[in-house]
Amino acid sequence: SAVISQKPSRDICQRGTSLTIQCQVDSQVTMMFWYRQQPGQSLTLIATANQGSEATYESGFVIDKFPISRPNLTFSTLTVSNMSPEDSSIYLCSVAARAEETQYFGPGTRLLVL
Amino acid sequence: GDSVTQMEGPVTLSEEAFLTINCTYTATGYPSLFWYVQYPGEGLQLLLKATKADDKGSNKGFEATYRKETTSFHLEKGSVQVSDSAVYFCALSADTGTASKLTFGTGTRLQVTL
């Protein structure tokens, strides 16, 4: 399976600010995804990061709040914009070598918004 | 839409006890089924998977069988260890043909004591 890293691993931020989370994979992958795991909850898919085009967002998530970049097949970023305490969560990226392949997850970014 | 239902936790067992964590699903088509595990302070790791009816996934002494007739994918282990203490997530991947979106259950926390 691919080796996936995320930066930062954790952060504490002030409300109203923005944080960009990076996801790096050690091999080229077709599919990259971003998930949110709110405290004590399950994972919810935010969006699919598409290489060379705009991300595909799930219901309830919008580009202005969670802009995503995917400049190549090994890297993606998720920005959490204009943060509020409700954005405190673990944000995880996942990858799949090809569509319909197994997803593997990064270690997550733990975000606390004060 | 697709959904996954897991038994409520926490599940507390003594070491060497038998483990069952129930998982049932609702989906159109023929989904793939997964168990992921999240150890304290870490991201998600794939534990096992099954891609078609009657397949049995197994890993590290855990196993689960894809039962289409009962739409279930229960996780079992014959003898748990303290190191198995974690949160276990059942998930399905919709047969969309274009992307391997995962739908997760709410997770079941397992606590194993000496």
Coordinates of all heavy atoms in Angstrom, one line a residue, chain B residues 37-112:
Chain B
V37 N -9.6 0.0 11.2 CA -9.4 0.1 12.6 C -8.6 1.4 12.9 O -7.7 1.8 12.1 CB -8.6 -1.1 13.2 CG1 -7.3 -1.3 12.5 CG2 -8.4 -1.0 14.7
Q38 N -9.0 2.1 14.0 CA -8.3 3.4 14.4 C -7.8 3.2 15.8 O -8.6 3.2 16.7 CB -9.3 4.5 14.3 CG -8.7 5.9 14.5 CD -9.7 7.0 14.2 OE1 -10.8 6.9 14.5 NE2 -9.2 8.1 13.7
Y39 N -6.5 3.1 15.9 CA -5.9 3.0 17.2 C -5.8 4.4 17.8 O -5.8 5.4 17.1 CB -4.5 2.3 17.1 CG -4.6 0.9 16.7 CD1 -4.3 0.6 15.3 CD2 -5.0 -0.1 17.5 CE1 -4.4 -0.7 14.9 CE2 -5.1 -1.4 17.1 CZ -4.8 -1.7 15.8 OH -4.9 -3.0 15.3
P40 N -5.8 4.5 19.2 CA -5.8 5.8 19.8 C -4.7 6.7 19.2 O -3.6 6.4 19.1 CB -5.5 5.4 21.3 CG -6.0 4.0 21.4 CD -5.7 3.3 20.1
G41 N -5.2 7.9 18.8 CA -4.3 8.9 18.4 C -3.8 8.7 16.9 O -2.9 9.5 16.5
E42 N -4.3 7.7 16.2 CA -3.8 7.4 14.9 C -4.9 7.6 13.8 O -6.1 7.8 14.2 CB -3.2 6.0 14.9 CG -2.1 5.8 15.8 CD -1.4 4.5 15.7 OE1 -1.7 3.8 14.7 OE2 -0.6 4.1 16.6
G43 N -4.5 7.5 12.6 CA -5.4 7.5 11.5 C -6.0 6.1 11.3 O -5.8 5.2 12.1
L44 N -6.8 5.9 10.2 CA -7.4 4.7 9.9 C -6.5 3.7 9.2 O -5.8 4.1 8.3 CB -8.7 4.9 9.0 CG -10.0 5.0 9.8 CD1 -10.0 6.4 10.5 CD2 -11.1 4.9 8.8
Q45 N -6.6 2.4 9.6 CA -5.8 1.4 8.9 C -6.8 0.4 8.3 O -7.8 0.0 9.0 CB -4.9 0.7 9.8 CG -3.8 1.6 10.5 CD -3.0 0.8 11.4 OE1 -2.8 -0.4 11.4 NE2 -2.3 1.5 12.4
L46 N -6.6 -0.1 7.1 CA -7.4 -1.1 6.6 C -7.2 -2.4 7.3 O -6.0 -2.8 7.4 CB -7.2 -1.3 5.1 CG -7.9 -2.4 4.4 CD1 -9.4 -2.1 4.4 CD2 -7.4 -2.7 3.0
L47 N -8.2 -3.0 7.8 CA -8.1 -4.3 8.6 C -8.3 -5.5 7.6 O -7.5 -6.4 7.6 CB -9.0 -4.4 9.7 CG -9.0 -5.6 10.6 CD1 -7.6 -5.8 11.2 CD2 -10.0 -5.5 11.7
L48 N -9.5 -5.4 6.9 CA -9.8 -6.5 6.0 C -10.9 -6.0 5.0 O -11.5 -5.0 5.3 CB -10.2 -7.8 6.7 CG -11.3 -7.7 7.7 CD1 -12.7 -7.8 7.0 CD2 -11.2 -8.8 8.7
K49 N -11.1 -6.8 3.9 CA -12.1 -6.4 3.0 C -12.6 -7.6 2.3 O -12.0 -8.7 2.3 CB -11.5 -5.4 2.0 CG -10.5 -6.1 1.0 CD -10.1 -5.1 -0.1 CE -9.1 -5.7 -1.0 NZ -8.7 -4.8 -2.1
A50 N -13.8 -7.5 1.7 CA -14.4 -8.5 0.8 C -15.1 -7.8 -0.3 O -15.8 -6.8 -0.1 CB -15.4 -9.4 1.6
T51 N -15.0 -8.3 -1.5 CA -15.5 -7.6 -2.7 C -16.7 -8.3 -3.3 O -17.4 -7.7 -4.2 CB -14.4 -7.4 -3.7 OG1 -13.9 -8.8 -4.1 CG2 -13.2 -6.6 -3.2
K52 N -17.0 -9.5 -2.9 CA -18.2 -10.1 -3.5 C -18.8 -11.0 -2.4 O -18.2 -11.5 -1.5 CB -18.0 -10.8 -4.8 CG -16.9 -11.9 -4.7 CD -16.7 -12.5 -6.1 CE -15.8 -13.7 -6.0 NZ -14.5 -13.5 -5.6
A53 N -20.1 -11.4 -2.7 CA -20.8 -12.3 -1.8 C -20.1 -13.6 -1.5 O -19.5 -14.2 -2.4 CB -22.2 -12.6 -2.4
D54 N -20.1 -13.9 -0.2 CA -19.5 -15.2 0.3 C -18.0 -15.1 0.5 O -17.4 -16.0 1.0 CB -19.9 -16.4 -0.5 CG -21.4 -16.6 -0.5 OD1 -22.0 -16.4 0.5 OD2 -21.9 -17.1 -1.5
D55 N -17.4 -14.0 0.1 CA -16.0 -13.8 0.3 C -15.7 -13.6 1.8 O -16.5 -13.0 2.5 CB -15.5 -12.5 -0.4 CG -15.0 -12.7 -1.8 OD1 -15.0 -13.9 -2.2 OD2 -14.5 -11.8 -2.4
K56 N -14.6 -14.1 2.3 CA -14.2 -13.9 3.6 C -12.9 -13.1 3.6 O -11.9 -13.6 3.0 CB -14.0 -15.3 4.4 CG -13.5 -15.1 5.8 CD -13.2 -16.4 6.5 CE -14.5 -17.2 6.9 NZ -14.2 -18.4 7.7
G57 N -12.9 -12.0 4.3 CA -11.7 -11.2 4.5 C -11.1 -11.6 5.9 O -11.8 -11.9 6.8
S58 N -9.8 -11.6 5.9 CA -9.1 -12.0 7.2 C -7.8 -11.3 7.3 O -7.1 -11.1 6.3 CB -9.0 -13.5 7.3 OG -8.2 -14.0 6.3
N59 N -7.4 -11.0 8.6 CA -6.1 -10.3 8.8 C -5.9 -10.3 10.3 O -6.9 -10.0 11.1 CB -6.1 -8.9 8.2 CG -4.8 -8.2 8.4 OD1 -3.8 -8.9 8.4 ND2 -4.8 -6.9 8.4
K60 N -4.7 -10.6 10.8 CA -4.4 -10.5 12.2 C -5.3 -11.2 13.1 O -5.6 -10.8 14.3 CB -4.3 -9.0 12.6 CG -3.3 -8.1 11.9 CD -3.3 -6.7 12.4 CE -2.4 -5.9 11.6 NZ -2.4 -4.5 12.1
G61 N -5.9 -12.3 12.7 CA -6.8 -13.1 13.5 C -8.3 -12.7 13.4 O -9.2 -13.3 13.9
F62 N -8.5 -11.5 12.7 CA -9.9 -11.0 12.5 C -10.4 -11.6 11.2 O -9.6 -11.8 10.3 CB -9.9 -9.5 12.4 CG -9.6 -8.8 13.7 CD1 -8.3 -8.5 14.0 CD2 -10.6 -8.4 14.6 CE1 -8.0 -7.8 15.2 CE2 -10.3 -7.8 15.7 CZ -9.0 -7.4 16.1
E63 N -11.7 -11.8 11.2 CA -12.3 -12.2 9.9 C -13.7 -11.7 9.8 O -14.4 -11.5 10.8 CB -12.2 -13.8 9.7 CG -12.9 -14.6 10.8 CD -12.8 -16.1 10.5 OE1 -11.7 -16.5 10.0 OE2 -13.7 -16.8 10.8
A64 N -14.2 -11.6 8.6 CA -15.6 -11.2 8.3 C -16.0 -11.8 7.0 O -15.2 -11.8 6.0 CB -15.7 -9.7 8.3
T65 N -17.3 -12.2 6.9 CA -17.8 -12.8 5.7 C -18.9 -12.0 5.1 O -19.8 -11.5 5.8 CB -18.3 -14.2 6.0 OG1 -17.3 -15.0 6.5 CG2 -18.8 -14.9 4.7
Y66 N -18.8 -11.7 3.8 CA -19.8 -10.9 3.1 C -21.0 -11.8 2.9 O -21.0 -12.7 2.1 CB -19.1 -10.5 1.7 CG -19.8 -9.5 0.9 CD1 -19.1 -8.7 0.1 CD2 -21.2 -9.5 0.7 CE1 -19.7 -7.8 -0.8 CE2 -21.8 -8.6 -0.1 CZ -21.1 -7.7 -0.9 OH -21.6 -6.8 -1.7
R67 N -22.1 -11.4 3.6 CA -23.4 -12.2 3.5 C -24.4 -11.3 2.8 O -25.0 -10.4 3.4 CB -23.9 -12.5 4.9 CG -22.9 -13.4 5.7 CD -22.8 -14.8 5.2 NE -22.1 -15.6 6.2 CZ -21.6 -16.8 5.8 NH1 -21.7 -17.3 4.6 NH2 -20.9 -17.5 6.8
K68 N -24.6 -11.6 1.5 CA -25.6 -10.8 0.7 C -27.0 -11.0 1.2 O -27.8 -10.1 1.2 CB -25.4 -11.1 -0.8 CG -26.1 -10.1 -1.7 CD -25.7 -10.3 -3.1 CE -26.2 -9.2 -4.0 NZ -27.7 -9.1 -4.0
E69 N -27.3 -12.3 1.6 CA -28.7 -12.6 1.9 C -29.1 -11.9 3.2 O -30.3 -11.6 3.3 CB -28.9 -14.1 2.1 CG -28.1 -14.8 3.2 CD -26.6 -15.1 2.8 OE1 -26.1 -14.6 1.8 OE2 -26.0 -15.8 3.6
T70 N -28.2 -11.6 4.1 CA -28.5 -10.9 5.3 C -28.0 -9.5 5.3 O -28.1 -8.8 6.3 CB -28.0 -11.6 6.5 OG1 -26.6 -11.8 6.4 CG2 -28.7 -13.0 6.7
T71 N -27.4 -9.1 4.2 CA -26.7 -7.7 4.1 C -25.8 -7.4 5.3 O -26.0 -6.4 6.0 CB -27.7 -6.6 3.8 OG1 -28.6 -6.5 4.9 CG2 -28.4 -6.8 2.5
S72 N -25.0 -8.4 5.6 CA -24.1 -8.2 6.8 C -22.7 -8.5 6.6 O -22.3 -9.2 5.6 CB -24.7 -9.2 7.9 OG -24.5 -10.5 7.5
F73 N -21.8 -8.0 7.5 CA -20.4 -8.2 7.4 C -19.8 -8.1 8.8 O -19.1 -7.2 9.1 CB -19.8 -7.1 6.5 CG -18.4 -7.3 6.0 CD1 -18.0 -8.5 5.4 CD2 -17.4 -6.3 6.2 CE1 -16.7 -8.7 4.9 CE2 -16.1 -6.5 5.8 CZ -15.8 -7.7 5.1
H74 N -20.2 -9.0 9.6 CA -19.8 -9.0 11.0 C -18.4 -9.3 11.2 O -17.8 -10.3 10.6 CB -20.7 -10.0 11.8 CG -22.2 -9.8 11.6 ND1 -22.8 -8.6 11.6 CD2 -23.2 -10.7 11.5 CE1 -24.1 -8.7 11.5 NE2 -24.3 -10.0 11.4
L75 N -17.7 -8.6 12.1 CA -16.3 -8.8 12.4 C -16.2 -9.7 13.6 O -16.8 -9.6 14.6 CB -15.6 -7.4 12.7 CG -14.1 -7.5 13.0 CD1 -13.4 -7.8 11.8 CD2 -13.7 -6.1 13.6
E76 N -15.3 -10.7 13.5 CA -15.1 -11.7 14.6 C -13.6 -11.9 14.8 O -12.8 -11.8 13.9 CB -15.7 -13.0 14.2 CG -17.2 -13.0 14.1 CD -17.8 -14.3 13.8 OE1 -17.1 -15.2 13.2 OE2 -19.0 -14.5 14.1
K77 N -13.3 -12.2 16.0 CA -11.9 -12.7 16.4 C -12.1 -13.7 17.5 O -12.8 -13.4 18.5 CB -11.0 -11.5 16.8 CG -9.6 -12.0 17.0 CD -8.6 -10.8 17.3 CE -7.2 -11.3 17.4 NZ -6.2 -10.2 17.7
G78 N -11.4 -14.7 17.5 CA -11.5 -15.8 18.4 C -10.9 -15.5 19.8 O -11.5 -16.0 20.8
S79 N -9.9 -14.7 19.9 CA -9.2 -14.4 21.1 C -8.6 -13.0 21.1 O -7.6 -12.8 20.4 CB -8.2 -15.5 21.4 OG -7.4 -15.2 22.6
V80 N -9.2 -12.1 21.7 CA -8.7 -10.7 21.6 C -7.6 -10.5 22.6 O -7.5 -11.1 23.6 CB -9.9 -9.7 21.9 CG1 -10.9 -9.8 20.8 CG2 -10.5 -9.9 23.3
Q81 N -6.8 -9.5 22.3 CA -5.7 -9.0 23.1 C -5.9 -7.6 23.5 O -6.6 -6.8 22.8 CB -4.4 -9.2 22.3 CG -4.1 -10.6 21.7 CD -4.1 -11.6 22.8 OE1 -3.4 -11.5 23.8 NE2 -4.8 -12.7 22.7
V82 N -5.2 -7.2 24.5 CA -5.2 -5.8 25.0 C -4.9 -4.8 23.8 O -5.5 -3.8 23.6 CB -4.3 -5.5 26.2 CG1 -4.3 -4.1 26.5 CG2 -4.8 -6.3 27.4
S83 N -3.9 -5.3 23.0 CA -3.5 -4.4 21.8 C -4.6 -4.3 20.8 O -4.4 -3.4 19.9 CB -2.2 -5.0 21.2 OG -2.5 -6.4 20.8
D84 N -5.6 -5.0 20.8 CA -6.8 -4.8 19.9 C -7.7 -3.7 20.3 O -8.6 -3.4 19.5 CB -7.6 -6.1 19.8 CG -6.8 -7.3 19.2 OD1 -6.0 -7.0 18.3 OD2 -7.0 -8.4 19.6
S85 N -7.5 -3.1 21.4 CA -8.3 -2.0 21.9 C -8.2 -0.8 20.9 O -7.1 -0.3 20.6 CB -7.9 -1.5 23.3 OG -8.0 -2.5 24.2
A86 N -9.3 -0.4 20.3 CA -9.3 0.5 19.2 C -10.8 0.8 18.8 O -11.7 0.2 19.4 CB -8.6 0.0 18.0
V87 N -11.0 1.7 17.9 CA -12.3 1.9 17.3 C -12.3 1.2 15.9 O -11.4 1.4 15.1 CB -12.6 3.4 17.1 CG1 -14.0 3.6 16.5 CG2 -12.6 4.1 18.5
Y88 N -13.4 0.4 15.7 CA -13.5 -0.3 14.5 C -14.7 0.2 13.6 O -15.8 0.4 14.1 CB -13.8 -1.8 14.8 CG -12.5 -2.5 15.4 CD1 -12.3 -2.3 16.8 CD2 -11.7 -3.2 14.7 CE1 -11.2 -2.9 17.4 CE2 -10.5 -3.8 15.2 CZ -10.3 -3.6 16.6 OH -9.2 -4.1 17.2
F89 N -14.4 0.5 12.4 CA -15.3 1.1 11.5 C -15.6 0.1 10.3 O -14.7 -0.4 9.7 CB -14.8 2.4 10.8 CG -14.7 3.5 11.8 CD1 -13.4 3.8 12.4 CD2 -15.7 4.4 12.0 CE1 -13.3 4.8 13.3 CE2 -15.6 5.4 12.9 CZ -14.4 5.7 13.5
C90 N -16.9 -0.1 10.1 CA -17.4 -0.9 9.0 C -17.7 0.1 7.9 O -18.2 1.2 8.1 CB -18.6 -1.7 9.4 SG -19.3 -2.8 8.1
A91 N -17.4 -0.2 6.6 CA -17.6 0.7 5.5 C -17.9 -0.1 4.3 O -17.6 -1.2 4.1 CB -16.4 1.6 5.3
L92 N -18.6 0.6 3.4 CA -18.9 0.1 2.1 C -18.5 1.0 1.0 O -18.4 2.2 1.2 CB -20.4 -0.3 1.9 CG -21.4 0.8 1.8 CD1 -21.6 1.3 0.4 CD2 -22.8 0.2 2.2
S93 N -18.1 0.5 -0.1 CA -17.7 1.2 -1.3 C -18.7 1.0 -2.4 O -18.9 -0.1 -2.8 CB -16.3 0.8 -1.8 OG -16.0 1.5 -3.0
A94 N -19.4 2.1 -2.8 CA -20.5 1.9 -3.7 C -20.0 1.5 -5.1 O -18.9 1.9 -5.5 CB -21.2 3.3 -3.8
D95 N -20.8 0.8 -5.8 CA -20.4 0.3 -7.1 C -20.8 1.4 -8.1 O -21.6 1.2 -8.9 CB -21.1 -1.0 -7.4 CG -20.7 -1.6 -8.7 OD1 -19.6 -1.3 -9.2 OD2 -21.5 -2.4 -9.3
T96 N -20.1 2.5 -8.0 CA -20.4 3.6 -8.9 C -19.8 3.5 -10.3 O -20.2 4.1 -11.2 CB -20.0 5.0 -8.3 OG1 -18.6 4.9 -8.2 CG2 -20.6 5.1 -6.9
G97 N -18.8 2.8 -10.4 CA -18.1 2.6 -11.6 C -17.1 3.7 -11.9 O -16.3 3.7 -12.9
T98 N -17.1 4.8 -11.1 CA -16.2 5.9 -11.4 C -15.4 6.3 -10.2 O -14.4 6.9 -10.3 CB -17.1 7.1 -11.8 OG1 -18.0 7.5 -10.8 CG2 -17.8 6.9 -13.1
A99 N -15.8 6.0 -9.0 CA -15.1 6.4 -7.8 C -15.4 5.5 -6.7 O -16.5 5.1 -6.5 CB -15.4 7.9 -7.5
S100 N -14.4 5.3 -5.9 CA -14.6 4.4 -4.7 C -15.0 5.1 -3.5 O -14.3 5.1 -2.5 CB -13.4 3.5 -4.5 OG -12.2 4.4 -4.5
K101 N -16.1 5.8 -3.5 CA -16.6 6.5 -2.3 C -16.9 5.6 -1.2 O -17.5 4.6 -1.4 CB -17.8 7.3 -2.6 CG -17.6 8.5 -3.6 CD -18.9 9.2 -3.8 CE -18.7 10.3 -4.9 NZ -20.0 11.1 -5.1
L102 N -16.4 5.9 0.0 CA -16.7 5.1 1.2 C -17.8 5.7 2.0 O -17.8 6.9 2.3 CB -15.4 4.9 2.0 CG -14.3 4.0 1.5 CD1 -13.1 4.1 2.3 CD2 -14.8 2.6 1.4
T103 N -18.7 4.8 2.4 CA -19.7 5.2 3.4 C -19.4 4.4 4.7 O -19.3 3.2 4.7 CB -21.1 4.8 2.9 OG1 -21.4 5.5 1.7 CG2 -22.2 5.2 4.0
F104 N -19.2 5.1 5.8 CA -18.8 4.5 7.1 C -20.0 4.4 8.0 O -20.9 5.2 8.1 CB -17.7 5.4 7.7 CG -16.4 5.3 7.1 CD1 -16.0 6.1 6.1 CD2 -15.4 4.4 7.6 CE1 -14.8 6.1 5.5 CE2 -14.2 4.3 7.0 CZ -13.9 5.2 5.9
G105 N -19.8 3.3 8.9 CA -20.7 3.2 10.0 C -20.2 4.2 11.1 O -19.1 4.9 10.9
T106 N -20.8 4.2 12.2 CA -20.5 5.2 13.3 C -19.3 4.7 14.1 O -18.8 5.5 14.9 CB -21.7 5.4 14.2 OG1 -22.1 4.1 14.7 CG2 -22.8 6.0 13.5
G107 N -18.8 3.5 13.9 CA -17.7 3.0 14.7 C -18.1 2.4 16.0 O -19.1 2.7 16.6
T108 N -17.3 1.4 16.4 CA -17.5 0.7 17.6 C -16.2 0.6 18.4 O -15.2 0.1 17.9 CB -18.0 -0.8 17.4 OG1 -19.2 -0.8 16.6 CG2 -18.2 -1.5 18.7
R109 N -16.2 1.2 19.6 CA -15.0 1.2 20.4 C -14.9 -0.1 21.1 O -15.9 -0.6 21.8 CB -15.1 2.3 21.4 CG -13.8 2.4 22.3 CD -13.8 3.7 23.2 NE -13.9 4.9 22.4 CZ -12.9 5.5 21.9 NH1 -11.6 5.0 22.0 NH2 -13.0 6.6 21.2
L110 N -13.8 -0.8 21.0 CA -13.5 -2.0 21.7 C -12.4 -1.7 22.8 O -11.4 -1.2 22.5 CB -12.9 -3.1 20.8 CG -12.3 -4.3 21.4 CD1 -13.4 -5.1 22.1 CD2 -11.7 -5.2 20.3
Q111 N -12.7 -2.2 24.0 CA -11.8 -2.1 25.1 C -11.5 -3.5 25.6 O -12.5 -4.2 26.0 CB -12.4 -1.2 26.3 CG -12.6 0.2 25.8 CD -13.2 1.1 26.9 OE1 -14.2 0.6 27.6 NE2 -12.8 2.3 27.1
V112 N -10.3 -3.9 25.6 CA -9.9 -5.2 26.1 C -9.1 -5.0 27.4 O -8.1 -4.3 27.4 CB -9.1 -6.0 25.0 CG1 -8.7 -7.4 25.6 CG2 -9.9 -6.1 23.7

